[in-house]
Amino acid sequence: MSLHFLWYIPNQVHPGHRGDDTVVDHNSLETLTTHARALEEHGWGGALIGTGWGRPDTFTVATALAARTTTFQPLIAVRPGYWHPAKFASAAATLDHLTGGRVLVNIVSGKDDLAAYGDSEGDQAHRYARTKEFIQLVRRLWTEESVTYHGEHFSVTGSTVVPRPVARDGRPHPRLYFGGASEAAERVAATEADVQLFWGEPLDGVAARIERLRRLGETLGREHPPLEFGLRITTLVRDTTEQAWADADAKVEEMAKGVITRDPNRHTAVGQQRLLDLAARGEVLDDNLYTAPGRFGGGGAGTTWLVGSAEDVAKSLRGYQALGVTHFVLSDTPYLPEIKRQGDRLLPLLR
């Protein structure tokens, strides 16, 4: 199975995200286009573009960057409560059509400032039941005509999406990525997603989750091609192992001073809590999985870091690959220099 390497584009209003330097126009179209074009030039397939209320609209940013690039694939994070499935299916199909099939989609069900855009999420079971319907309906709208669907959360009657997304061998529509570590999330991933994304857990934890998801898919009667797996993690790469750890320790010292704003939902998500709990097992797990960032504000993919030379980090990533992980979404700050460094030094070791 082929490997896929993506980066991360920080579409947020406030600079300094995850310790990046504060710069003028950090979120301008010119700056973000520079990132997207650098990704094309340095071996990356594209980039995850995150979502959250109070940030630039993810789909708009993805569309603008796709228009200024030729091979860049935006992995567009979307929330079922923010989008109606038929409207999203149409928008994504149109962008996929215009770009020749470059759209990727990341379905996000975690907490957000939902009331600000008029959503009411209900409890976890409600959220993931709605997500399941969203994915099912979007997939049908991309592949069928005159779709009629009346579910608990969404309904359409005689709906046909035009234009259609680009279909080619092994790719009937944009690939659907999904995250989440709760039991409810895993049941959705096992039956409905194309790719399950993991955050930076040790190899034993990822292996256990892959096995559990595969069993769930069999038990629940998955109807789609086999679920694929991805890793979203911070990779701190330097010329030598010693320099990488010195820089990692220096970054964590700065984080300890309070330079990172803590996510208010930091302790509510099951996947996030799994990462935070890793610190109790040790500051460094496996060969070079650094857990200290999570103690000082690092969240999501910034909670744990793989630290080392390009050879060290490549070895660790190959460990995840051996478990069945084929999609990698990497990043480090400052983003633009690291796009180039890791694209030139790390990616060739993985291909």
Side-chain angles (χ1 to χ4, degrees), residues 57-139:
D57 177 74
T58 309
F59 201 95
T60 305
V61 173
T63 301
L65 295 181
R68 289 189 161 206
T69 53
T70 56
T71 63
F72 171 78
Q73 299 175 80
L75 176 52
I76 306 169
V78 300
R79 293 180 182 275
Y82 180 90
W83 285 91
H84 185 281
K87 294 174 182 175
F88 174 73
S90 178
T94 299
L95 183 58
D96 198 58
H97 169 76
L98 292 174
T99 61
R102 286 193 272 143
V103 169
L104 305 169
V105 177
N106 182 32
I107 307 293
V108 180
S109 293
K111 288 182 177 292
D112 190 20
D113 189 1
L114 303 180
Y117 51 86
D119 186 25
S120 56
E121 68 176 10
D123 60 13
Q124 185 188 71
H126 175 279
R127 253 192 355 262
Y128 283 103
R130 182 176 68 175
T131 296
K132 182 175 182 177
E133 282 193 18
F134 183 93
I135 297 175
Q136 289 177 335
L137 184 49
V138 166
R139 195 188 291 269

Coordinates of all heavy atoms in Angstrom, one line a residue, residues 57-139:
D57 N -12.2 30.4 8.0 CA -13.0 29.2 7.6 C -12.1 28.3 6.8 O -11.4 28.7 5.8 CB -14.2 29.7 6.7 CG -14.9 28.5 6.2 OD1 -15.6 27.9 6.9 OD2 -14.8 28.2 5.0
T58 N -12.1 27.0 7.2 CA -11.1 26.1 6.6 C -11.4 25.8 5.1 O -10.4 25.8 4.4 CB -11.2 24.7 7.4 OG1 -11.2 25.0 8.8 CG2 -10.2 23.8 7.0
F59 N -12.6 25.7 4.8 CA -12.9 25.4 3.4 C -12.5 26.6 2.5 O -12.0 26.4 1.4 CB -14.4 25.1 3.2 CG -14.7 24.3 1.9 CD1 -14.8 22.9 2.0 CD2 -14.8 24.9 0.7 CE1 -15.1 22.2 0.8 CE2 -15.1 24.2 -0.4 CZ -15.2 22.8 -0.4
T60 N -12.7 27.8 2.9 CA -12.3 29.0 2.1 C -10.8 29.0 2.0 O -10.3 29.3 0.9 CB -12.8 30.2 2.8 OG1 -14.2 30.1 3.0 CG2 -12.5 31.5 2.0
V61 N -10.0 28.7 3.0 CA -8.6 28.7 3.0 C -8.1 27.6 2.0 O -7.3 27.8 1.1 CB -7.9 28.5 4.3 CG1 -6.4 28.3 4.2 CG2 -8.2 29.7 5.3
A62 N -8.7 26.5 2.1 CA -8.3 25.3 1.2 C -8.6 25.7 -0.3 O -7.8 25.4 -1.1 CB -9.1 24.1 1.6
T63 N -9.7 26.3 -0.5 CA -10.0 26.7 -1.9 C -9.1 27.7 -2.5 O -8.6 27.6 -3.6 CB -11.5 27.3 -2.0 OG1 -12.4 26.3 -1.5 CG2 -11.8 27.6 -3.4
A64 N -8.7 28.7 -1.7 CA -7.8 29.7 -2.1 C -6.4 29.1 -2.4 O -5.8 29.4 -3.4 CB -7.6 30.8 -1.0
L65 N -5.9 28.2 -1.5 CA -4.6 27.6 -1.7 C -4.6 26.6 -2.9 O -3.7 26.5 -3.7 CB -4.2 26.9 -0.5 CG -3.9 27.8 0.8 CD1 -3.5 27.0 2.0 CD2 -2.9 28.9 0.4
A66 N -5.7 25.9 -3.1 CA -5.8 25.0 -4.2 C -5.7 25.7 -5.5 O -5.2 25.3 -6.5 CB -7.1 24.2 -4.1
A67 N -6.3 26.9 -5.6 CA -6.3 27.7 -6.8 C -4.9 28.3 -7.1 O -4.7 28.6 -8.3 CB -7.3 28.9 -6.6
R68 N -4.0 28.3 -6.1 CA -2.7 28.9 -6.4 C -1.6 27.8 -6.5 O -0.4 28.1 -6.4 CB -2.3 29.8 -5.2 CG -3.1 31.1 -5.3 CD -2.6 32.1 -4.3 NE -3.0 33.5 -4.7 CZ -2.4 34.6 -4.3 NH1 -1.2 34.5 -3.6 NH2 -2.8 35.8 -4.7
T69 N -2.0 26.5 -6.5 CA -1.1 25.4 -6.6 C -1.5 24.4 -7.7 O -2.6 24.6 -8.3 CB -1.0 24.7 -5.2 OG1 -2.4 24.3 -4.8 CG2 -0.4 25.6 -4.1
T70 N -0.7 23.4 -7.9 CA -1.0 22.5 -9.0 C -1.1 21.0 -8.5 O -1.9 20.3 -9.0 CB 0.1 22.5 -10.0 OG1 1.4 22.3 -9.4 CG2 0.1 23.9 -10.7
T71 N -0.4 20.6 -7.4 CA -0.5 19.3 -6.9 C -0.9 19.2 -5.4 O -1.3 18.2 -4.9 CB 0.8 18.5 -7.0 OG1 1.8 19.2 -6.2 CG2 1.3 18.5 -8.5
F72 N -0.9 20.4 -4.7 CA -1.2 20.5 -3.3 C -2.6 19.9 -3.0 O -3.6 20.3 -3.6 CB -1.1 21.9 -2.9 CG -1.6 22.2 -1.5 CD1 -0.8 21.9 -0.4 CD2 -2.8 22.8 -1.3 CE1 -1.3 22.2 0.9 CE2 -3.3 23.0 0.0 CZ -2.5 22.7 1.1
Q73 N -2.6 19.0 -2.1 CA -3.9 18.4 -1.6 C -4.3 18.9 -0.3 O -3.6 18.6 0.7 CB -3.8 16.9 -1.6 CG -3.5 16.2 -2.8 CD -3.2 14.7 -2.6 OE1 -4.2 13.9 -2.5 NE2 -2.0 14.3 -2.5
P74 N -5.4 19.7 -0.2 CA -5.8 20.2 1.1 C -6.6 19.1 1.9 O -7.6 18.5 1.3 CB -6.7 21.4 0.8 CG -7.3 21.1 -0.6 CD -6.2 20.3 -1.3
L75 N -6.2 18.8 3.1 CA -7.0 17.9 3.9 C -7.8 18.8 4.8 O -7.4 19.4 5.7 CB -6.0 17.0 4.8 CG -6.7 16.1 5.9 CD1 -7.8 15.3 5.3 CD2 -5.7 15.3 6.6
I76 N -9.1 19.0 4.4 CA -10.0 20.0 4.9 C -10.8 19.4 6.1 O -11.6 18.5 6.0 CB -11.0 20.4 3.8 CG1 -10.2 20.8 2.5 CG2 -11.9 21.6 4.3 CD1 -11.2 21.0 1.3
A77 N -10.5 20.0 7.3 CA -11.2 19.6 8.5 C -12.6 20.2 8.5 O -12.7 21.5 8.3 CB -10.4 20.0 9.7
V78 N -13.6 19.4 8.7 CA -15.0 19.9 8.8 C -15.7 19.3 9.9 O -15.4 18.2 10.4 CB -15.7 19.6 7.5 CG1 -15.0 20.2 6.3 CG2 -15.9 18.1 7.2
R79 N -16.7 20.1 10.4 CA -17.6 19.6 11.5 C -19.0 19.4 11.1 O -19.6 20.2 10.4 CB -17.6 20.6 12.7 CG -16.2 20.8 13.4 CD -16.3 21.8 14.5 NE -15.0 22.0 15.1 CZ -14.5 21.2 16.0 NH1 -15.2 20.3 16.5 NH2 -13.3 21.4 16.5
P80 N -19.6 18.2 11.4 CA -21.0 17.9 11.0 C -22.0 19.0 11.5 O -23.0 19.2 10.8 CB -21.2 16.5 11.6 CG -19.9 15.9 11.6 CD -18.9 17.0 12.0
G81 N -21.7 19.6 12.6 CA -22.7 20.6 13.1 C -22.5 21.9 12.5 O -23.4 22.8 12.5
Y82 N -21.4 22.2 11.8 CA -21.1 23.4 11.2 C -21.7 23.4 9.7 O -22.2 24.3 9.2 CB -19.6 23.7 11.2 CG -19.1 24.9 10.5 CD1 -19.0 26.1 11.2 CD2 -18.7 24.9 9.2 CE1 -18.5 27.3 10.6 CE2 -18.2 26.1 8.6 CZ -18.1 27.2 9.3 OH -17.6 28.4 8.7
W83 N -21.6 22.2 9.1 CA -22.0 22.0 7.8 C -23.2 21.1 7.7 O -23.3 20.1 8.5 CB -20.9 21.3 6.9 CG -19.8 22.1 6.5 CD1 -18.6 22.3 7.2 CD2 -19.6 22.8 5.3 NE1 -17.8 23.1 6.4 CE2 -18.4 23.4 5.3 CE3 -20.5 23.0 4.2 CZ2 -17.9 24.2 4.2 CZ3 -20.1 23.8 3.1 CH2 -18.8 24.4 3.1
H84 N -24.2 21.4 6.8 CA -25.2 20.4 6.5 C -24.6 19.4 5.5 O -23.8 19.9 4.6 CB -26.4 21.1 5.9 CG -27.6 20.2 5.6 ND1 -27.6 19.3 4.5 CD2 -28.7 19.9 6.3 CE1 -28.7 18.6 4.5 NE2 -29.4 19.0 5.6
P85 N -24.8 18.1 5.6 CA -24.1 17.2 4.7 C -24.3 17.4 3.2 O -23.4 17.3 2.4 CB -24.7 15.8 5.1 CG -25.9 16.1 5.9 CD -25.7 17.4 6.5
A86 N -25.5 17.8 2.8 CA -25.7 18.0 1.3 C -25.0 19.2 0.8 O -24.4 19.2 -0.3 CB -27.2 18.1 1.0
K87 N -25.0 20.3 1.6 CA -24.2 21.5 1.2 C -22.7 21.2 1.2 O -22.0 21.7 0.3 CB -24.5 22.6 2.2 CG -26.0 23.1 2.2 CD -26.3 24.1 3.2 CE -27.7 24.5 3.2 NZ -28.1 25.5 4.4
F88 N -22.3 20.4 2.2 CA -20.8 20.1 2.2 C -20.5 19.2 1.0 O -19.5 19.4 0.3 CB -20.4 19.5 3.5 CG -19.0 19.0 3.4 CD1 -17.9 19.9 3.4 CD2 -18.7 17.7 3.2 CE1 -16.6 19.5 3.3 CE2 -17.4 17.2 3.1 CZ -16.3 18.2 3.1
A89 N -21.3 18.2 0.7 CA -21.0 17.3 -0.4 C -21.0 18.0 -1.7 O -20.1 17.7 -2.5 CB -22.1 16.2 -0.4
S90 N -21.8 19.0 -1.9 CA -21.8 19.8 -3.1 C -20.6 20.7 -3.2 O -19.9 20.7 -4.2 CB -23.1 20.7 -3.2 OG -23.0 21.5 -4.3
A91 N -20.2 21.4 -2.1 CA -19.1 22.2 -2.1 C -17.8 21.4 -2.3 O -16.9 21.8 -3.1 CB -19.0 23.0 -0.8
A92 N -17.6 20.3 -1.6 CA -16.4 19.5 -1.8 C -16.3 18.9 -3.1 O -15.2 18.8 -3.7 CB -16.4 18.4 -0.7
A93 N -17.4 18.4 -3.7 CA -17.4 17.9 -5.0 C -17.0 18.9 -6.1 O -16.3 18.6 -7.0 CB -18.8 17.3 -5.4
T94 N -17.5 20.1 -5.9 CA -17.2 21.2 -6.8 C -15.7 21.5 -6.8 O -15.0 21.6 -7.8 CB -18.0 22.5 -6.5 OG1 -19.4 22.2 -6.6 CG2 -17.6 23.6 -7.4
L95 N -15.1 21.6 -5.6 CA -13.7 21.9 -5.4 C -12.9 20.7 -6.0 O -11.9 20.9 -6.6 CB -13.3 22.2 -4.0 CG -11.9 22.5 -3.7 CD1 -11.5 23.8 -4.5 CD2 -11.6 22.8 -2.2
D96 N -13.3 19.5 -5.7 CA -12.6 18.3 -6.2 C -12.6 18.3 -7.7 O -11.6 18.0 -8.4 CB -13.3 17.1 -5.7 CG -12.4 15.8 -5.8 OD1 -11.3 15.9 -5.2 OD2 -12.8 14.9 -6.4
H97 N -13.8 18.6 -8.3 CA -13.9 18.7 -9.8 C -13.0 19.8 -10.4 O -12.3 19.5 -11.3 CB -15.4 19.0 -10.1 CG -15.6 19.4 -11.6 ND1 -15.6 18.5 -12.6 CD2 -15.8 20.6 -12.1 CE1 -15.8 19.1 -13.7 NE2 -16.0 20.4 -13.5
L98 N -12.9 21.0 -9.7 CA -12.1 22.1 -10.3 C -10.6 21.8 -10.1 O -9.8 22.3 -10.9 CB -12.5 23.4 -9.5 CG -13.9 23.9 -9.8 CD1 -14.2 25.1 -8.9 CD2 -14.0 24.3 -11.3
T99 N -10.2 21.0 -9.1 CA -8.8 20.8 -8.9 C -8.3 19.4 -9.5 O -7.2 19.1 -9.3 CB -8.5 20.8 -7.4 OG1 -9.2 19.7 -6.7 CG2 -8.8 22.1 -6.8
G100 N -9.2 18.7 -10.2 CA -8.8 17.5 -10.8 C -8.6 16.4 -9.7 O -7.8 15.5 -9.9
G101 N -9.4 16.4 -8.6 CA -9.3 15.4 -7.7 C -8.3 15.5 -6.6 O -7.7 14.5 -6.2
R102 N -8.2 16.7 -6.0 CA -7.1 16.9 -5.0 C -7.7 17.1 -3.6 O -7.0 17.3 -2.6 CB -6.3 18.2 -5.3 CG -5.4 18.0 -6.5 CD -4.4 19.1 -6.5 NE -4.8 20.3 -7.3 CZ -4.6 21.5 -7.0 NH1 -3.9 21.9 -6.0 NH2 -5.0 22.5 -7.8
V103 N -9.0 17.0 -3.4 CA -9.6 17.2 -2.1 C -9.5 16.0 -1.2 O -9.7 14.9 -1.6 CB -11.1 17.6 -2.3 CG1 -11.8 17.6 -0.9 CG2 -11.2 19.0 -2.9
L104 N -9.1 16.2 0.1 CA -9.1 15.3 1.1 C -10.0 15.9 2.3 O -10.0 17.1 2.4 CB -7.7 15.0 1.7 CG -6.7 14.5 0.6 CD1 -5.3 14.5 1.3 CD2 -7.0 13.1 0.1
V105 N -10.7 15.0 3.0 CA -11.6 15.5 4.0 C -11.3 14.9 5.4 O -11.1 13.7 5.5 CB -13.1 15.2 3.6 CG1 -14.0 15.7 4.7 CG2 -13.4 15.9 2.3
N106 N -11.2 15.7 6.4 CA -11.0 15.2 7.8 C -12.3 15.6 8.6 O -12.6 16.7 8.9 CB -9.8 15.9 8.4 CG -9.6 15.4 9.8 OD1 -9.8 14.3 10.2 ND2 -9.0 16.3 10.7
I107 N -13.1 14.6 9.0 CA -14.3 14.8 9.8 C -13.9 14.9 11.3 O -13.3 14.0 11.8 CB -15.3 13.6 9.6 CG1 -15.5 13.3 8.1 CG2 -16.6 13.9 10.3 CD1 -16.3 14.4 7.4
V108 N -14.4 16.0 11.9 CA -14.0 16.3 13.3 C -15.3 16.4 14.1 O -16.3 17.1 13.7 CB -13.3 17.7 13.4 CG1 -13.0 18.0 14.8 CG2 -12.0 17.7 12.5
S109 N -15.4 15.6 15.2 CA -16.6 15.6 16.0 C -16.3 16.1 17.4 O -17.2 16.1 18.3 CB -17.2 14.2 16.1 OG -17.7 13.8 14.8
G110 N -15.1 16.6 17.7 CA -14.8 17.0 19.1 C -15.5 18.3 19.4 O -16.1 19.0 18.6
K111 N -15.3 18.7 20.7 CA -16.0 19.9 21.2 C -15.4 21.2 20.5 O -14.2 21.2 20.1 CB -15.8 20.0 22.7 CG -16.7 19.0 23.4 CD -16.5 19.2 24.9 CE -17.4 18.3 25.7 NZ -18.8 18.6 25.6
D112 N -16.2 22.2 20.4 CA -15.9 23.5 19.8 C -16.8 24.5 20.4 O -17.7 24.2 21.2 CB -16.0 23.4 18.3 CG -15.4 24.6 17.6 OD1 -14.6 25.3 18.1 OD2 -15.8 24.8 16.4
D113 N -16.7 25.8 20.0 CA -17.6 26.8 20.5 C -18.9 26.7 19.7 O -19.2 27.6 18.9 CB -16.9 28.2 20.4 CG -17.8 29.3 21.0 OD1 -18.8 29.0 21.6 OD2 -17.3 30.5 20.9
L114 N -19.6 25.6 19.9 CA -20.7 25.3 19.0 C -21.8 26.3 19.1 O -22.5 26.7 18.1 CB -21.3 23.9 19.4 CG -20.3 22.8 19.4 CD1 -21.0 21.5 19.8 CD2 -19.7 22.6 18.0
A115 N -22.1 26.9 20.3 CA -23.2 27.8 20.4 C -22.9 29.1 19.5 O -23.9 29.8 19.1 CB -23.4 28.2 21.8
A116 N -21.7 29.4 19.3 CA -21.3 30.6 18.5 C -21.9 30.5 17.1 O -22.2 31.5 16.5 CB -19.8 30.8 18.5
Y117 N -22.0 29.3 16.5 CA -22.5 29.2 15.2 C -23.8 28.4 15.1 O -24.2 27.9 14.1 CB -21.5 28.6 14.2 CG -20.8 27.3 14.6 CD1 -21.4 26.1 14.3 CD2 -19.5 27.3 15.2 CE1 -20.7 24.9 14.6 CE2 -18.9 26.2 15.5 CZ -19.5 25.0 15.2 OH -18.8 23.8 15.5
G118 N -24.5 28.4 16.3 CA -25.8 27.9 16.3 C -26.0 26.4 16.4 O -27.1 25.9 16.0
D119 N -25.0 25.7 16.9 CA -25.1 24.2 17.0 C -25.4 23.8 18.4 O -25.1 24.6 19.3 CB -23.8 23.6 16.5 CG -23.9 22.1 16.4 OD1 -25.0 21.6 16.3 OD2 -22.9 21.4 16.5
S120 N -26.0 22.7 18.6 CA -26.2 22.1 19.9 C -25.8 20.7 19.8 O -26.5 19.9 19.2 CB -27.7 22.2 20.4 OG -28.5 21.6 19.5
E121 N -24.7 20.3 20.4 CA -24.1 19.0 20.2 C -24.7 17.9 20.9 O -24.6 16.7 20.5 CB -22.6 19.1 20.6 CG -22.3 19.2 22.1 CD -20.9 19.2 22.4 OE1 -20.0 19.2 21.5 OE2 -20.6 19.1 23.6
G122 N -25.4 18.1 22.0 CA -25.9 17.0 22.8 C -24.8 16.3 23.5 O -23.7 16.8 23.6
D123 N -25.0 15.1 23.9 CA -24.0 14.3 24.6 C -23.1 13.6 23.5 O -23.3 13.7 22.3 CB -24.6 13.3 25.6 CG -25.5 12.3 24.9 OD1 -25.5 12.2 23.6 OD2 -26.2 11.6 25.6
Q124 N -22.1 12.8 24.0 CA -21.2 12.2 23.1 C -21.9 11.2 22.1 O -21.6 11.2 20.9 CB -20.1 11.5 23.9 CG -19.0 10.8 23.0 CD -18.1 9.9 23.8 OE1 -18.5 8.9 24.3 NE2 -16.9 10.4 24.1
A125 N -22.8 10.4 22.6 CA -23.5 9.5 21.8 C -24.3 10.2 20.7 O -24.3 9.8 19.5 CB -24.5 8.7 22.7
H126 N -24.9 11.3 21.0 CA -25.6 12.1 20.0 C -24.7 12.6 19.0 O -24.9 12.6 17.8 CB -26.3 13.3 20.7 CG -27.0 14.2 19.8 ND1 -26.3 15.2 19.1 CD2 -28.3 14.4 19.5 CE1 -27.2 15.9 18.4 NE2 -28.4 15.4 18.6
R127 N -23.5 13.2 19.4 CA -22.5 13.7 18.5 C -22.1 12.7 17.4 O -22.0 13.0 16.2 CB -21.3 14.2 19.2 CG -21.2 15.7 19.3 CD -19.9 16.3 19.8 NE -18.9 15.5 20.3 CZ -18.6 15.2 21.5 NH1 -19.4 15.7 22.5 NH2 -17.6 14.5 21.9
Y128 N -21.7 11.5 17.9 CA -21.2 10.5 17.0 C -22.3 9.8 16.2 O -22.0 9.4 15.0 CB -20.3 9.5 17.8 CG -19.0 10.1 18.1 CD1 -18.7 10.6 19.4 CD2 -18.0 10.3 17.1 CE1 -17.5 11.2 19.6 CE2 -16.8 10.9 17.4 CZ -16.5 11.3 18.6 OH -15.3 11.9 18.9
A129 N -23.5 9.8 16.7 CA -24.6 9.3 15.9 C -24.8 10.2 14.7 O -25.1 9.8 13.6 CB -25.9 9.1 16.7
R130 N -24.8 11.5 15.0 CA -24.9 12.5 13.9 C -23.7 12.4 12.9 O -23.9 12.5 11.7 CB -25.0 13.9 14.6 CG -25.2 15.0 13.6 CD -25.3 16.4 14.2 NE -24.1 16.8 14.9 CZ -23.9 18.0 15.4 NH1 -25.0 18.9 15.5 NH2 -22.8 18.4 16.0
T131 N -22.5 12.2 13.4 CA -21.4 12.1 12.6 C -21.5 10.9 11.6 O -21.2 11.0 10.4 CB -20.1 12.0 13.4 OG1 -19.9 13.2 14.1 CG2 -18.9 11.7 12.5
K132 N -22.0 9.8 12.2 CA -22.2 8.6 11.3 C -23.2 8.9 10.2 O -22.9 8.6 9.0 CB -22.7 7.5 12.2 CG -22.9 6.2 11.4 CD -23.3 5.0 12.3 CE -23.4 3.7 11.5 NZ -23.7 2.6 12.4
E133 N -24.3 9.6 10.5 CA -25.2 9.9 9.4 C -24.6 10.9 8.4 O -24.8 10.8 7.2 CB -26.5 10.6 10.0 CG -27.4 9.6 10.6 CD -28.8 10.3 10.9 OE1 -29.1 11.3 10.4 OE2 -29.5 9.7 11.7
F134 N -23.8 11.8 8.9 CA -23.2 12.8 8.0 C -22.3 12.1 7.0 O -22.4 12.3 5.8 CB -22.3 13.8 8.9 CG -21.7 14.9 8.1 CD1 -22.3 16.1 8.0 CD2 -20.4 14.7 7.6 CE1 -21.7 17.1 7.3 CE2 -19.8 15.7 6.9 CZ -20.4 16.9 6.7
I135 N -21.4 11.2 7.5 CA -20.5 10.5 6.6 C -21.3 9.6 5.6 O -21.0 9.6 4.4 CB -19.5 9.6 7.4 CG1 -18.6 10.5 8.3 CG2 -18.6 8.8 6.5 CD1 -17.7 9.8 9.2
Q136 N -22.3 8.9 6.1 CA -23.0 8.0 5.3 C -23.7 8.8 4.1 O -23.7 8.4 3.0 CB -24.1 7.3 6.1 CG -23.5 6.2 7.0 CD -24.6 5.5 7.8 OE1 -25.7 6.1 8.1 NE2 -24.4 4.3 8.2
L137 N -24.3 9.9 4.5 CA -25.0 10.7 3.5 C -24.1 11.4 2.5 O -24.4 11.4 1.3 CB -25.9 11.8 4.2 CG -26.8 12.6 3.4 CD1 -27.6 11.8 2.4 CD2 -27.7 13.5 4.2
V138 N -23.0 11.9 3.0 CA -22.0 12.6 2.1 C -21.5 11.5 1.1 O -21.4 11.8 -0.1 CB -20.9 13.2 2.9 CG1 -19.7 13.5 2.0 CG2 -21.3 14.5 3.6
R139 N -21.2 10.3 1.6 CA -20.7 9.3 0.7 C -21.7 8.9 -0.4 O -21.4 8.8 -1.6 CB -20.3 8.1 1.5 CG -19.4 7.1 0.7 CD -19.2 5.8 1.5 NE -18.4 6.0 2.7 CZ -17.0 5.8 2.7 NH1 -16.4 5.6 1.6 NH2 -16.4 6.0 3.9

